[in-house]
mmCIF file of all heavy atoms in Angstrom:
data_model
loop_
_atom_site.group_PDB
_atom_site.id
_atom_site.type_symbol
_atom_site.label_atom_id
_atom_site.label_comp_id
_atom_site.label_asym_id
_atom_site.label_seq_id
_atom_site.Cartn_x
_atom_site.Cartn_y
_atom_site.Cartn_z
ATOM 1 N N LEU V 489 296.153 207.864 238.692
ATOM 2 C CA LEU V 489 295.501 207.020 237.730
ATOM 3 C C LEU V 489 294.253 207.683 237.260
ATOM 4 O O LEU V 489 293.417 208.097 238.034
ATOM 5 C CB LEU V 489 295.202 205.684 238.377
ATOM 6 C CG LEU V 489 294.981 204.454 237.521
ATOM 7 C CD1 LEU V 489 296.229 204.226 236.750
ATOM 8 C CD2 LEU V 489 294.684 203.277 238.438
ATOM 9 N N SER V 490 294.140 207.828 235.944
ATOM 10 C CA SER V 490 292.872 208.393 235.351
ATOM 11 C C SER V 490 292.305 207.362 234.405
ATOM 12 O O SER V 490 292.896 207.119 233.436
ATOM 13 C CB SER V 490 293.136 209.774 234.749
ATOM 14 O OG SER V 490 291.964 210.244 234.210
ATOM 15 N N VAL V 491 291.101 206.883 234.814
ATOM 16 C CA VAL V 491 290.424 205.899 233.910
ATOM 17 C C VAL V 491 289.255 206.563 233.208
ATOM 18 O O VAL V 491 288.479 207.207 233.855
ATOM 19 C CB VAL V 491 289.877 204.732 234.769
ATOM 20 C CG1 VAL V 491 289.240 203.677 233.925
ATOM 21 C CG2 VAL V 491 291.141 204.083 235.515
ATOM 22 N N GLY V 492 289.137 206.302 231.997
ATOM 23 C CA GLY V 492 287.984 206.816 231.240
ATOM 24 C C GLY V 492 288.309 208.235 230.725
ATOM 25 O O GLY V 492 289.439 208.678 230.696
ATOM 26 N N ARG V 493 287.336 208.852 230.193
ATOM 27 C CA ARG V 493 287.560 210.128 229.596
ATOM 28 C C ARG V 493 288.037 211.201 230.561
ATOM 29 O O ARG V 493 287.686 211.064 231.808
ATOM 30 C CB ARG V 493 286.300 210.612 228.931
ATOM 31 C CG ARG V 493 285.805 209.771 227.792
ATOM 32 C CD ARG V 493 284.735 210.389 226.993
ATOM 33 N NE ARG V 493 285.151 211.672 226.407
ATOM 34 C CZ ARG V 493 285.859 211.726 225.305
ATOM 35 N NH1 ARG V 493 286.214 210.656 224.697
ATOM 36 N NH2 ARG V 493 286.183 212.888 224.817
ATOM 37 N N VAL V 494 288.725 212.137 230.056
ATOM 38 C CA VAL V 494 289.274 213.203 230.947
ATOM 39 C C VAL V 494 288.140 213.837 231.750
ATOM 40 O O VAL V 494 288.212 214.142 232.871
ATOM 41 C CB VAL V 494 290.077 214.166 230.163
ATOM 42 C CG1 VAL V 494 290.472 215.369 230.984
ATOM 43 C CG2 VAL V 494 291.332 213.510 229.594
ATOM 44 N N GLY V 495 287.031 214.118 231.005
ATOM 45 C CA GLY V 495 285.891 214.734 231.611
ATOM 46 C C GLY V 495 285.203 213.789 232.516
ATOM 47 O O GLY V 495 284.315 214.267 233.283
ATOM 48 N N SER V 496 285.549 212.558 232.510
ATOM 49 C CA SER V 496 285.032 211.555 233.394
ATOM 50 C C SER V 496 283.605 211.156 233.166
ATOM 51 O O SER V 496 283.140 210.179 233.663
ATOM 52 C CB SER V 496 285.203 211.875 234.854
ATOM 53 O OG SER V 496 284.070 212.431 235.414
ATOM 54 N N THR V 497 282.888 211.917 232.425
ATOM 55 C CA THR V 497 281.555 211.461 231.932
ATOM 56 C C THR V 497 281.718 210.758 230.625
ATOM 57 O O THR V 497 282.161 211.372 229.690
ATOM 58 C CB THR V 497 280.569 212.607 231.853
ATOM 59 O OG1 THR V 497 281.122 213.550 230.951
ATOM 60 C CG2 THR V 497 280.220 213.256 233.185
ATOM 61 N N SER V 498 281.397 209.519 230.565
ATOM 62 C CA SER V 498 281.671 208.765 229.397
ATOM 63 C C SER V 498 280.606 208.973 228.310
ATOM 64 O O SER V 498 279.507 209.449 228.587
ATOM 65 C CB SER V 498 281.873 207.343 229.713
ATOM 66 O OG SER V 498 280.800 206.909 230.433
ATOM 67 N N GLU V 499 280.952 208.643 227.116
ATOM 68 C CA GLU V 499 280.038 208.824 225.988
ATOM 69 C C GLU V 499 278.872 207.925 226.076
ATOM 70 O O GLU V 499 277.876 208.089 225.340
ATOM 71 C CB GLU V 499 280.737 208.671 224.684
ATOM 72 C CG GLU V 499 281.750 209.843 224.381
ATOM 73 C CD GLU V 499 282.485 209.567 223.103
ATOM 74 O OE1 GLU V 499 281.876 209.001 222.156
ATOM 75 O OE2 GLU V 499 283.659 209.864 223.014
ATOM 76 N N ASN V 500 278.991 206.859 226.859
ATOM 77 C CA ASN V 500 277.848 205.936 226.800
ATOM 78 C C ASN V 500 276.683 206.392 227.693
ATOM 79 O O ASN V 500 275.652 205.692 227.797
ATOM 80 C CB ASN V 500 278.233 204.572 227.255
ATOM 81 C CG ASN V 500 279.130 204.570 228.482
ATOM 82 O OD1 ASN V 500 279.119 205.513 229.222
ATOM 83 N ND2 ASN V 500 279.967 203.520 228.652
ATOM 84 N N ILE V 501 276.828 207.627 228.280
ATOM 85 C CA ILE V 501 275.574 208.218 228.872
ATOM 86 C C ILE V 501 275.088 209.343 227.988
ATOM 87 O O ILE V 501 275.861 210.224 227.628
ATOM 88 C CB ILE V 501 275.962 208.784 230.252
ATOM 89 C CG1 ILE V 501 276.494 207.713 231.200
ATOM 90 C CG2 ILE V 501 274.681 209.416 230.881
ATOM 91 C CD1 ILE V 501 277.013 208.318 232.492
ATOM 92 N N THR V 502 273.902 209.192 227.501
ATOM 93 C CA THR V 502 273.295 210.267 226.708
ATOM 94 C C THR V 502 272.808 211.344 227.583
ATOM 95 O O THR V 502 271.965 211.092 228.446
ATOM 96 C CB THR V 502 272.158 209.689 225.779
ATOM 97 O OG1 THR V 502 272.635 208.603 225.049
ATOM 98 C CG2 THR V 502 271.688 210.741 224.885
ATOM 99 N N GLN V 503 273.293 212.558 227.445
ATOM 100 C CA GLN V 503 272.907 213.650 228.349
ATOM 101 C C GLN V 503 271.997 214.579 227.614
ATOM 102 O O GLN V 503 272.384 215.229 226.658
ATOM 103 C CB GLN V 503 274.164 214.314 228.864
ATOM 104 C CG GLN V 503 275.111 213.469 229.648
ATOM 105 C CD GLN V 503 276.321 214.246 230.102
ATOM 106 O OE1 GLN V 503 276.271 215.271 230.738
ATOM 107 N NE2 GLN V 503 277.512 213.716 229.660
ATOM 108 N N LYS V 504 270.785 214.732 228.161
ATOM 109 C CA LYS V 504 269.894 215.703 227.642
ATOM 110 C C LYS V 504 269.715 216.876 228.651
ATOM 111 O O LYS V 504 269.533 216.605 229.831
ATOM 112 C CB LYS V 504 268.506 215.073 227.351
ATOM 113 C CG LYS V 504 268.546 214.041 226.196
ATOM 114 C CD LYS V 504 267.205 213.904 225.499
ATOM 115 C CE LYS V 504 266.227 213.143 226.371
ATOM 116 N NZ LYS V 504 264.961 212.903 225.646
ATOM 117 N N ILE V 505 269.697 218.073 228.150
ATOM 118 C CA ILE V 505 269.418 219.233 229.006
ATOM 119 C C ILE V 505 268.142 219.824 228.514
ATOM 120 O O ILE V 505 268.057 220.147 227.291
ATOM 121 C CB ILE V 505 270.540 220.233 228.950
ATOM 122 C CG1 ILE V 505 271.961 219.595 229.014
ATOM 123 C CG2 ILE V 505 270.373 221.285 229.994
ATOM 124 C CD1 ILE V 505 272.315 219.063 230.358
ATOM 125 N N GLU V 506 267.153 220.054 229.389
ATOM 126 C CA GLU V 506 265.900 220.682 228.913
ATOM 127 C C GLU V 506 265.729 221.918 229.730
ATOM 128 O O GLU V 506 265.953 221.983 230.927
ATOM 129 C CB GLU V 506 264.776 219.736 229.138
ATOM 130 C CG GLU V 506 264.975 218.378 228.444
ATOM 131 C CD GLU V 506 263.658 217.634 228.238
ATOM 132 O OE1 GLU V 506 262.630 218.105 228.748
ATOM 133 O OE2 GLU V 506 263.736 216.584 227.626
ATOM 134 N N TYR V 507 265.181 222.962 229.045
ATOM 135 C CA TYR V 507 264.862 224.182 229.771
ATOM 136 C C TYR V 507 263.496 224.045 230.404
ATOM 137 O O TYR V 507 262.471 223.927 229.703
ATOM 138 C CB TYR V 507 264.891 225.411 228.828
ATOM 139 C CG TYR V 507 264.997 226.641 229.661
ATOM 140 C CD1 TYR V 507 266.178 227.249 229.906
ATOM 141 C CD2 TYR V 507 263.800 227.176 230.201
ATOM 142 C CE1 TYR V 507 266.248 228.447 230.726
ATOM 143 C CE2 TYR V 507 263.793 228.428 230.918
ATOM 144 C CZ TYR V 507 265.070 228.981 231.266
ATOM 145 O OH TYR V 507 265.097 230.068 231.993
ATOM 146 N N VAL V 508 263.448 224.009 231.719
ATOM 147 C CA VAL V 508 262.148 223.865 232.421
ATOM 148 C C VAL V 508 262.158 224.845 233.609
ATOM 149 O O VAL V 508 263.043 224.821 234.488
ATOM 150 C CB VAL V 508 262.023 222.464 232.947
ATOM 151 C CG1 VAL V 508 260.627 222.275 233.569
ATOM 152 C CG2 VAL V 508 262.194 221.427 231.850
ATOM 153 N N GLU V 509 261.157 225.740 233.653
ATOM 154 C CA GLU V 509 261.050 226.591 234.800
ATOM 155 C C GLU V 509 260.571 225.779 236.039
ATOM 156 O O GLU V 509 260.010 224.721 235.899
ATOM 157 C CB GLU V 509 259.952 227.630 234.507
ATOM 158 C CG GLU V 509 260.293 228.637 233.399
ATOM 159 C CD GLU V 509 261.491 229.529 233.713
ATOM 160 O OE1 GLU V 509 262.026 229.480 234.887
ATOM 161 O OE2 GLU V 509 261.948 230.289 232.815
#
Side-chain angles (χ1 to χ4, degrees):
Chain V
L489 202 58
S490 180
V491 178
R493 295 190 62 79
V494 171
S496 98
T497 51
S498 49
E499 288 177 39
N500 45 23
I501 301 172
T502 305
Q503 299 178 56
K504 291 206 289 186
I505 315 288
E506 304 199 357
Y507 195 95
V508 186
E509 296 293 354

